[in-house]
Amino acid sequence: MRYCHNCHRITAGKPLFCSNCGCTYRIKLCPRLHINPRAAQICSQCGSRDLSTPQPKVPFALRPFVFLLDAGPGVLILILLSIWMVFYIRQLINAPDNLLPLMLIALALGLTLYAWMRLNRWNRGK
Ligand SMILES: [Zn+2]
Ligand SMILES: [Zn+2]
């Protein structure tokens, strides 16, 4: 999914245009969907002047957030998994008898990641 900084809405999937206001995200597109940089005035491939309006530039502080949305929940789960690893290792050192709750969390995370990967492949296959 992608977050539009023009109208502040999220469009699902990997859209070229915001489904609410019709902005493109980081690029300009001509009517034939050639990709042009934000600074372009004319399409470099077909010469069309009819380029789409890109969304406003994303403030630097928000970029990691936007990146995460673009990358999808898989990255989020990987981050959660690495946080979990830290807890797991600490628990392993301090109280190795009580690992079951952590193992269950890992199982849930693993299953979520697996489900997401299946869903993602299915989406791409369409
Ligand atoms: Zn929008
Ligand atoms: Zn073009």
Side-chain angles (χ1 to χ4, degrees):
M1 62 195 147
R2 279 186 155 176
Y3 176 72
C4 174
H5 278 271
N6 190 52
C7 63
H8 306 287
R9 303 242 174 144
I10 287 168
T11 303
K14 296 223 173 273
L16 290 172
F17 299 92
C18 168
S19 65
N20 186 61
C21 70
C23 278
T24 42
Y25 290 89
R26 276 179 284 263
I27 48 168
K28 284 183 175 177
L29 291 171
C30 77
R32 292 182 204 171
L33 299 183
H34 296 137
I35 294 167
N36 290 278
R38 184 192 283 280
Q41 299 296 318
I42 294 166
C43 174
S44 59
Q45 288 180 66
C46 68
S48 171
R49 285 172 183 273
D50 192 15
L51 295 177
S52 66
T53 315
Q55 65 173 15
K57 271 191 178 164
V58 179
F60 191 72
L62 282 178
R63 270 180 208 179
F65 169 70
V66 171
F67 168 77
L68 276 180
L69 269 184
D70 278 4
V75 174
L76 214 68
I77 292 165
L78 282 180
I79 291 169
L80 282 175
L81 213 59
S82 35
I83 296 170
W84 172 86
M85 277 291 282
V86 175
F87 275 100
Y88 181 78
I89 289 163
R90 280 178 69 182
Q91 187 83 355
L92 202 65
I93 294 164
N94 296 328
D97 301 334
N98 195 17
L99 287 174
L100 192 65
L102 279 171
M103 294 305 282
L104 287 176
I105 293 171
L107 195 70
L109 278 175
L111 281 175
T112 315
L113 186 65
Y114 177 73
W116 175 75
M117 275 161 62
R118 286 294 296 268
L119 206 72
N120 211 36
R121 205 167 299 155
W122 178 71
N123 273 339
R124 264 180 220 156
K126 267 202 291 194

